[in-house]
Amino acid sequence: MLNRVAVLSDIHGVLPALEAVLAEPDVRAAERIVLTGDIAAGPQPTEVLDLLMSLGDRVGWVAGNADRELLEHRRNAPTSAPTPDPLTPWAADRLRPDHLDLLASLPRTLTLPVRGLGTVLFCHATPRDDEEVVLVDSRLDRWQEVFTGLDDDIRTVVCGHTHMPFVRLAHGRLVVNPGSVGMPYGRPGAHWALLGPGTDLRHTPYDLEAAVRRLTRTSTYPDAAAWADYYLHARATDADALAAFGPRDGRTNTP
């Protein structure tokens, strides 16, 4: 049974944000660090993966859709689909063979026993799919749908994908989204969560202007400056994100 677990989601290849979170005393003291996907798809993919790999067995990894897309781009999987994001092929082409092997080995879900929360299931989007959308205001029948097939002893589900932190109950299960470390929507800074014995959503401020300059200077991604300015400053609001994601959770405009 683990006493403290730090959850980092949607790092998206932003090294300064990751470094800021890893420097937090509660992250340094946590028994495990769990990554809930979308780890390397960003302007500093190799640097982020190398830092996380150096932490060894303290880290539990879960694959996200962006991690899968990086791998598909490099290995030309027959099921891979074109991505509208030009950063994906650029980041994929930076990865070494050991990075690709790591991404290929990542599970879609991870379960760990956490004090006060019981058996916790970690996933990227939903327990059954790495791209499904569920939001803080998703209707209960949507939650019931995405929970289909879960063992009854899983009473806490931790997910990422939508880059907005929340905690809510759905059909007796606690759902936690830590938000995004590297690409937050709604509020700048690195978002993460600390589990055990309760749930604590955390926010780590860091020097955004220095981070933008660093990414612009060190990343060879052609649009690194514009990308960093937009995403690190969270210029997409939470309202923007909810408006974009809302239709993807199956909701309608009717009451």
Side-chain angles (χ1 to χ4, degrees):
M1 184 72 68
L2 299 168
N3 291 307
R4 293 286 190 278
V5 175
V7 187
L8 283 57
S9 190
D10 297 277
I11 300 166
H12 278 286
V14 179
L15 186 63
L18 174 61
E19 291 174 337
V21 173
L22 291 178
E24 288 277 14
D26 283 335
V27 175
R28 295 170 67 92
E31 293 163 88
R32 294 292 298 273
I33 297 170
V34 175
L35 313 172
T36 54
D38 285 10
I39 300 158
Q44 296 170 302
T46 61
E47 295 90 337
V48 161
L49 286 175
D50 286 344
L51 176 54
L52 292 168
M53 291 165 68
S54 75
L55 301 178
D57 292 341
R58 280 190 68 213
V59 177
W61 303 69
V62 172
N65 63 294
D67 307 307
R68 171 176 51 79
E69 290 160 5
L70 292 176
L71 191 65
E72 289 174 350
H73 175 80
R74 280 293 293 275
R75 295 190 170 174
N76 297 313
T79 58
S80 63
T83 173
D85 184 356
L87 193 147
T88 296
W90 176 89
D93 288 340
R94 312 271 84 73
L95 301 181
R96 302 189 306 263
D98 59 321
H99 296 144
L100 299 174
D101 290 342
L102 171 66
L103 295 182
S105 73
L106 299 187
R108 294 291 183 92
T109 64
L110 174 68
T111 56
L112 294 172
V114 180
R115 190 169 303 281
L117 299 172
T119 302
V120 179
L121 183 142
F122 299 87
C123 60
H124 179 61
T126 70
R128 65 182 188 173
D129 189 277
D130 65 10
E131 288 188 302
E132 279 190 312
V133 169
V134 280
L135 301 163
V136 65
D137 61 343
S138 290
R139 64 205 185 282
L140 283 174
D141 59 352
R142 172 64 170 170
W143 287 103
Q144 185 173 39
E145 179 186 354
V146 303
F147 286 160
T148 299
L150 284 190
D151 291 342
D152 290 340
D153 65 338
I154 295 172
R155 308 312 302 166
T156 303
V157 175
V158 180
C159 57
H161 189 49
T162 58
H163 299 205
M164 292 175 288
F166 68 81
V167 177
R168 68 161 289 174
L169 279 172
H171 294 287
R173 287 188 170 100
L174 189 67
V175 184
V176 182
N177 189 319
S180 173
V181 171
M183 289 177 62
Y185 297 150
R187 180 174 65 164
H191 297 259
W192 54 285
L194 187 67
L195 306 183
T199 60
D200 192 1
L201 296 178
R202 298 293 185 91
H203 172 254
T204 299
Y206 62 98
D207 189 334
L208 299 177
E209 299 308 326
V212 170
R213 291 193 299 270
R214 181 178 172 188
L215 264 66
T216 302
R217 183 180 69 252
T218 62
S219 176
T220 61
Y221 180 55
D223 294 323
W227 191 98
D229 176 78
Y230 185 80
Y231 287 109
L232 271 59
H233 287 99
R235 301 201 188 280
T237 69
D238 53 328
D240 293 335
L242 286 169
F245 281 129
R248 292 176 54 192
D249 82 341
R251 68 185 62 190
T252 66
N253 292 325
T254 58

